[in-house]
Amino acid sequence: AYDRDVAADRARAAHDELHALRDRLAATGLTVTALLIEGPPAEKIAAEARRLGCGLIVVGAHQRGLLGKWLHGSTSRELLQDAPCPVLVVPVRG
C-alpha cells in the first residue's frame, strides 16, 4: 500500500504542477492543453498532437552525455522525427 500511496502522491503533485503551468500560460492568451499521460513519451506526445490537431509542440531537452543518450534515448529527437507539427526544443536548466 505504501508504494501505491507514494505513486498517487507523485501523480497528484505532477497534476497540480502541470495545471498551474497551464494556467500561467493561458493567462498570457495562449491556447493550452495540459495532459498527464503514461507511456513512451515521444510516441504518446505525437499521438496526442495528432488527435488534438496541435500547431506546435514545445518540449524540454535535458543535457545528457553520450552514455545517458544511449541508455535513456532522446525523447526530443524521437519527437522531431514523428511529430505531426513543428517541434520547439528548449534546454532545461537546473
Side-chain angles (χ1 to χ4, degrees):
Y2 174 77
D3 289 340
R4 187 176 57 229
D5 292 342
V6 169
D9 288 343
R10 286 183 182 162
R12 210 174 357 268
H15 178 270
D16 293 347
E17 185 177 339
L18 180 64
H19 282 82
L21 178 58
R22 178 209 54 203
D23 294 345
R24 285 193 352 236
L25 291 170
T28 69
L30 293 171
T31 301
V32 180
T33 302
L35 301 170
L36 187 58
I37 300 169
E38 292 184 15
E43 180 182 321
K44 292 294 186 173
I45 293 168
E48 286 300 316
R50 279 186 202 87
R51 185 180 72 79
L52 295 168
C54 293
L56 176 68
I57 297 170
V58 180
V59 63
H62 297 278
Q63 301 301 320
R64 291 192 175 116
L66 285 175
L67 182 60
K69 287 180 185 176
W70 182 74
L71 290 173
H72 302 288
S74 171
T75 298
S76 56
R77 186 182 321 267
E78 290 177 44
L79 196 52
L80 285 167
Q81 294 173 352
D82 297 334
C85 61
V87 177
L88 176 61
V89 180
V90 295
V92 174
R93 297 185 181 150

